[in-house]
Amino acid sequence: MGEAKRRKTFGLPPKKSNTKTKYDQSPRLFEWIPFTINQRDKLIKLSIKASWFGIGGLVILWVVVRFVGPAAGWWTLSDSL
């Protein structure tokens, strides 16, 4: 009994193809650029998320430099003489 017949008799769904790479079927951004519209959208979402992480890191760095460092005695601020 083949795999397809066995799956059919047990009422299982057909086995999916075992392709490791999925080809993006969305249209290209331009015909001469090998980037698709889905890839462009994913890049935009990634850059927005990365910018928010950067903003958060900048806020944390500012809090450490302005408040935590002087309170811990690591350095003194020039305007607090």
Side-chain angles (χ1 to χ4, degrees), residues 12-71:
L12 299 171
K15 203 171 188 182
K16 298 194 180 195
S17 63
N18 200 8
T19 57
K20 295 195 180 212
T21 59
K22 293 182 180 178
Y23 181 69
D24 190 6
Q25 297 293 332
S26 67
R28 287 187 168 198
L29 197 56
F30 297 107
E31 289 299 321
W32 48 275
I33 296 178
F35 296 115
T36 61
I37 293 177
N38 286 343
Q39 289 173 333
R40 179 199 63 188
D41 294 340
K42 288 179 184 178
L43 179 66
I44 291 171
K45 288 179 184 177
L46 178 69
S47 65
I48 290 171
K49 189 178 288 189
S51 65
W52 278 113
F53 278 113
I55 291 169
L58 184 65
V59 168
I60 291 171
L61 179 69
W62 180 80
V63 167
V64 167
V65 167
R66 183 67 177 99
F67 299 111
V68 176

Side-chain angles (χ1 to χ4, degrees), residues 64-79:
V64 167
V65 167
R66 183 67 177 99
F67 299 111
V68 176
W74 296 337
W75 56 79
T76 59
L77 296 177
S78 62
D79 63 343

